Amino acid sequence: MDFTYDEEQVALREAVRGLLGRAYGDFENRRRAVADDPGYDAATWGRMAEMGLLALPFAEDDGGVGAGPVEVGVVAEEIGRVLAPEPYLAAVVLAGGLVAALGTDEQRAELVGGLASGELVPALAHAEPGSRWSAEATAVTAQQAGDTWTLDGVKEPVPFGASADVLLVTAALPGGGTGVFVVDPAADGVTRDGYRTPDGGRAARVHLESATGTPLGEAGVDRTAEVAAAHDATRVAAAQQAVGAMQVALETTAGYLKSREQFGVPLKTFQALTFRAADMYVALELARSLALWATMVHADPDATPEEKADAARRAWAQTSAAGRHVGQEAIQLHGGIAMTAEYSTGSYTAHLTALDHLLGDARHHLGLLALDVAGHGEVDPLR
Amino acid sequence: MRLHLTEEDAAFRAELREFFTTQVDEDIRTAVRDRAHLTQEQIVRSHRTLHAAGLAVPHWPAEWGGRDWSSLRRHLWHEEMQRACVPPPLAFNTSMIGPVIAQFGSQEQKERFLPATANLDIWWSQGFSEPNAGSDLASLRTSAVLDGDTWVVNGQKTWTTLGQYGDWIFTLVRTDPHVKKQAGISMLLIDMTSPGVEVRPIELIDGSHEVNEVWFTDVRVPSENLVGEVNSGWTQAKFLLGNERVGVAPVGATKRLLAQIKEWATTVTSPHGTLLDDPFVAARIAELENELSALELTALRVVAHSADGRPHPASSVLKLKGSELQQAVSELAIDVAGPGALASGADDETSDLPAWQRRGTPAYLNLRKASIYGGSNEVQRQIIAGTILGL
């Protein structure tokens, strides 16, 4: 059991911190980047591609660099620290992960290769109005006529769905189960309406009307398990992203308590405030422990899909709850300044809230864990 | 980053599990499992069984019985012990005064006290807190005045846990009233059979006699019983309290109790089937299990980063959260017990209710202490805010 990064991982962290620090160390730059579509800075995305970050989790044969969840977690945490708005989770971990898991050789070469080089940004269109963090698709349906598949229905919200170069659309299969289809957003029958998410990100409604889709991988096969697994891998990376965001939200809050004066003294004079900051630290460190642990479970070649799903759920439940706590307190301990868009802290809270709703909040996941409490004695995280 | 224990560590763990579950007397493990009070004899017997196997003081210097284990192995030792319902070796001896004497004591003190302390031939009591020196420990007033080569001690200590069994007591005493309060304190080892030492019981809210007041009236203590330099006691106190924080999160025991509660919950009916089928109860369990995993993993992170035997400041997280979870699980136990939690005064002869229901409330009330002792949780927040966050 070892929670420390090796030299290469530390070097990766420093490199990413340097790149993203230059891009967004000044919070004004982030505000500018999210102000206009596509909601991030294409140049920064290009530099992330040049550094190999977009290729990290993919096999070398597919154009990737063959790293794993640990390296992805390193990047995610740095993204969280500066709230880099680039769609790393949505495009690389979630959509890219699904392509890597399901795509044919040709599909992987085209989509993973394009993603890794920064030329092609995919989005996973999975959520549907009326569904709530389910791995299944129901409202969007797929029909087969000969070799041609057509899709109908509405996907929403689709993270970065309006600007994506290619859509991966989940749909209910005629024979039951959930399939995944590659859809050209410019194809007939595809309509996209993009909008902002609460944290300055982007999402879209994707309306499909007899839109043509190509099955990702073998046609007509139920891919619910792979969709769930891709979301679980995203939860683990998101947990580290949230840890990075919480760390900075806490540091900023502590800094403010030291510098801001009221009643002629620094705010840190007031124990009512410092104790709450201490509780933020406790929440952060507990979440960090489970996030790192889940990353290690996902990096373990011997871990079963069930173990990975369980680890993702546990890490995300803890991180989500901590994100609420830290995000809310960061604003309250600052006071009015953190309510402003100009000051960074409120945006950290907004981002933590958005991650929560992208991947399922703590209550949702604890509810699922509760269904299984009779199935084991003690929970033993050691392997 | 590595998830798995090495083969050697896994074998180490299996060996300990085997030992704890087969070599410690069953009556002791049953008493712990059933949340009964251990007798003095049971505590001593268990401790000596561990010591005979080299498992009572593995964290001491090798010269005095330590094992030079990695921090991970020490963690595994602690967890496996709790999992097997084995009472930990007496903390006053092994976690508190032993390491202090090993670190600060004279060679004579080490030879005189450490072997006997390790084997629990001496039962140590802790004489730190006073009626007016709780969280503000440094304001203690029990005085020691030198008379030739003898210290004369007067004053009162309190909250002395299991002091009724104590042979010796390690105390903080004021040896210089004229300097900054921390700078005028010394650590003195006192034979509790000395004339002028009186132990008076304090009854607690759970009806137990666990803690005591200890009064000192002109107690004469040889000067060779002073640990370290005169007026250096605050250094030793901080060392001791730091060690106390690290060991104080009983994750293993809390996990075990939570697993027991699940079994108990299946024996109680609810509108949903058993009480374990009640979604609200199941959700509380799921949340507590997750928090305990987070705490256990945090403990592993903290021990891995403790340099030079000094506690990582994040060890305050362990004390703070460990006591909160210990209390929360004990609270769940009485909620699951329901009306049976009223029967605390009954025994096997006078009640049909199972022991776990009858014993839940005293244990719950007793554990309110967990967020007070070892540096109250408010003191831990102060440490986190000050030392870690710079506030």
Side-chain angles (χ1 to χ4, degrees):
Chain A
M1 196 87 195
D2 180 5
F3 285 91
T4 52
Y5 291 131
D6 65 25
E7 272 180 37
E8 280 185 33
Q9 290 156 350
V10 170
L12 173 67
R13 184 180 66 192
E14 296 314 310
V16 178
R17 188 170 295 185
L19 192 164
L20 296 179
R22 283 189 292 279
Y24 299 115
D26 180 350
F27 184 67
E28 266 311 298
N29 291 343
R30 195 231 180 223
R31 289 190 71 200
R32 273 195 292 274
V34 302
D36 301 315
D37 286 339
Y40 60 90
D41 176 31
T44 300
W45 186 251
R47 281 190 279 276
M48 291 172 76
E50 283 165 26
M51 194 178 272
L53 306 184
L54 310 186
L56 274 181
F58 305 117
E60 290 177 39
D61 286 350
D62 296 342
V65 301
V70 175
E71 288 74 18
V72 167
V74 166
V75 176
E77 188 164 335
E78 295 308 315
I79 287 173
R81 288 182 63 90
V82 294
L83 300 185
E86 283 67 31
Y88 195 76
L89 284 183
V92 177
V93 187
L94 185 58
L98 204 52
V99 173
L102 291 179
T104 62
D105 291 349
E106 294 76 28
Q107 286 171 328
R108 294 202 312 279
E110 181 198 344
L111 298 176
V112 171
L115 170 59
S117 68
E119 289 156 15
L120 182 151
V121 182
L124 176 63
H126 176 64
E128 297 170 346
S131 80
R132 198 167 181 269
W133 306 309
S134 162
E136 294 170 5
T138 51
V140 169
T141 55
Q143 301 294 329
Q144 185 179 19
D147 283 345
T148 306
W149 289 82
T150 53
L151 309 174
D152 286 278
V154 171
K155 288 291 187 183
E156 186 180 3
V158 179
F160 295 94
S163 62
D165 301 305
V166 60
L167 294 171
L168 306 176
V169 180
T170 58
L173 295 171
T178 296
V180 184
F181 297 86
V182 182
V183 173
D184 177 358
D188 288 345
V190 181
T191 317
R192 301 191 286 179
D193 298 287
Y195 45 75
R196 285 173 63 103
T197 55
D199 59 340
R202 294 294 187 279
R205 176 180 64 185
V206 177
H207 186 220
L208 302 152
E209 200 173 347
S210 297
T212 304
T214 309
L216 184 65
E218 195 184 333
V221 181
D222 178 23
R223 302 301 192 186
T224 308
E226 287 84 356
V227 172
H231 279 93
D232 285 335
T234 309
R235 285 183 183 106
V236 173
Q240 285 201 246
Q241 187 160 314
V243 164
M246 285 190 278
Q247 174 78 47
V248 172
L250 174 58
E251 283 168 6
T252 309
T253 302
Y256 192 77
L257 293 180
K258 281 181 246 186
S259 62
R260 166 77 168 171
E261 294 199 357
Q262 287 287 276
F263 308 103
V265 291
L267 289 182
K268 73 167 189 169
T269 312
F270 301 102
Q271 203 172 53
L273 305 180
T274 59
F275 273 28
R276 288 166 72 169
D279 284 337
M280 291 165 72
Y281 177 80
V282 172
L284 166 62
E285 290 307 316
L286 291 175
R288 189 196 305 276
S289 298
L290 268 179
L292 290 171
W293 169 78
T295 296
M296 287 191 276
V297 172
H298 276 240
D300 176 15
D302 298 329
T304 65
E306 292 74 25
E307 285 173 332
K308 288 184 181 181
D310 180 72
R313 181 154 290 153
R314 291 185 177 284
W316 187 246
Q318 190 76 21
T319 312
S320 165
R324 294 270 179 99
H325 175 177
V326 171
Q328 291 168 3
E329 291 290 78
I331 294 178
Q332 181 66 24
L333 296 191
H334 272 88
I337 185 72
M339 293 296 295
T340 68
E342 189 180 343
Y343 193 82
S344 66
T345 293
S347 294
Y348 282 81
T349 308
H351 182 59
L352 290 165
T353 309
L355 281 178
D356 233 14
H357 291 273
L358 176 66
L359 297 164
D361 61 26
R363 287 288 145 208
H364 172 77
H365 290 290
L366 285 172
L368 293 170
L369 288 170
L371 293 175
D372 188 40
V373 290
H376 56 262
E378 295 178 18
V379 175
D380 186 3
L382 286 182
R383 295 285 189 279
Chain B
M1 300 274 273
R2 195 184 65 244
L3 176 66
H4 289 269
L5 297 177
T6 62
E7 261 180 49
E8 294 77 24
D9 286 336
F12 171 86
R13 188 192 204 195
E15 228 171 86
L16 284 179
R17 189 170 294 185
E18 169 78 12
F19 180 88
F20 289 138
T21 53
T22 60
Q23 302 302 308
V24 177
D25 291 340
E26 193 56 39
D27 66 301
I28 293 168
R29 297 176 55 228
T30 301
V32 171
R33 189 180 298 111
D34 293 348
R35 311 182 86 192
H37 283 288
L38 295 172
T39 65
Q40 181 186 12
E41 187 277 327
Q42 284 177 314
I43 296 171
V44 173
R45 179 153 46 94
S46 176
H47 183 115
R48 288 183 182 158
T49 301
L50 297 180
H51 186 52
L55 297 175
V57 292
H59 50 294
W60 286 17
E63 188 187 353
W64 301 107
R67 303 288 295 273
D68 281 331
W69 285 344
S70 64
S71 52
L72 174 62
R73 288 196 172 190
R74 280 166 58 178
H75 174 86
L76 293 173
W77 164 76
H78 198 230
E79 291 297 301
E80 288 300 324
M81 193 157 51
Q82 295 175 64
R83 181 197 294 263
C85 301
V86 172
L90 193 69
F92 313 111
N93 287 39
T94 63
S95 302
M96 296 187 187
I97 193 60
V100 169
I101 292 175
Q103 175 84 12
F104 299 98
S106 65
Q107 188 60 27
E108 292 72 27
Q109 286 171 337
K110 291 177 189 175
E111 288 169 11
R112 179 180 177 194
F113 288 113
L114 288 179
T117 298
N119 197 44
L120 195 43
D121 298 330
I122 298 173
W123 183 302
W124 285 97
S125 292
Q126 181 179 22
F128 278 22
S129 294
E130 297 182 5
N132 288 309
S135 289
D136 181 14
L137 182 59
S139 68
L140 60 92
R141 290 199 300 228
T142 295
S143 67
V145 177
L146 202 53
D147 175 20
D149 59 359
T150 304
W151 292 98
V152 180
V153 179
N154 280 282
Q156 182 198 350
K157 294 293 178 180
T158 193
W159 310 130
T160 306
T161 302
L162 302 182
Q164 65 266 40
Y165 306 143
D167 300 310
W168 281 72
I169 183 166
F170 53 92
T171 62
L172 294 177
V173 291
R174 184 150 304 286
T175 39
D176 187 345
H178 304 297
V179 295
K180 187 174 171 244
K181 57 187 180 180
Q182 286 87 353
I185 294 171
S186 300
M187 180 176 275
L188 208 50
L189 310 177
I190 302 176
D191 182 342
M192 291 179 79
T193 61
S194 308
V197 176
E198 189 192 351
V199 178
R200 299 180 192 167
I202 301 172
E203 185 181 355
L204 294 183
I205 51 175
D206 61 344
S208 71
H209 170 204
E210 186 177 59
V211 294
N212 304 270
E213 298 175 326
V214 182
W215 295 74
F216 301 89
T217 310
D218 292 329
V219 177
R220 299 186 69 81
V221 182
S223 61
E224 73 225 32
N225 289 3
L226 193 127
V227 182
E229 302 294 314
V230 175
N231 294 327
S232 72
W234 192 245
T235 303
Q236 292 131 36
K238 282 194 295 184
F239 175 85
L240 183 151
L241 294 170
N243 293 338
E244 188 181 4
R245 259 198 330 265
V246 173
V248 84
V251 181
T254 307
K255 278 169 63 177
R256 177 174 47 71
L257 177 58
L258 186 55
Q260 284 179 282
I261 290 171
K262 291 200 285 189
E263 288 174 23
W264 298 334
T266 62
T267 67
V268 180
T269 57
S270 81
H272 306 274
T274 76
L275 203 52
L276 193 56
D277 301 316
D278 180 318
F280 192 70
V281 171
R284 275 175 76 184
I285 292 170
E287 185 162 19
L288 288 167
E289 285 183 339
N290 220 38
E291 297 245 287
L292 282 163
S293 287
L295 181 66
E296 180 176 356
L297 292 162
T298 304
L300 281 164
R301 284 175 51 219
V302 168
V303 293
H305 289 96
S306 296
D308 313 329
R310 293 179 53 205
H312 190 280
S315 59
S316 287
V317 172
L318 306 183
K319 198 298 170 163
L320 180 53
K321 198 70 190 181
S323 57
E324 284 181 356
L325 289 175
Q326 193 180 14
Q327 291 175 335
V329 171
S330 77
E331 187 177 350
L332 178 63
I334 59 169
D335 289 348
V336 169
L342 292 171
S344 59
D347 56 32
D348 290 344
E349 278 71 47
T350 61
S351 175
D352 281 357
L353 295 164
W356 67 266
Q357 293 191 6
R358 306 195 310 258
R359 287 174 183 152
T361 309
Y364 160 75
L365 291 172
N366 183 276
L367 278 174
R368 304 316 301 170
K369 71 189 177 187
S371 49
I372 300 169
Y373 64 40
S376 74
N377 285 11
E378 288 65 37
V379 169
Q380 305 305 334
R381 287 186 176 90
Q382 191 81 33
I383 292 169
I384 292 168
T387 312
I388 301 176
L389 301 178
L391 298 175

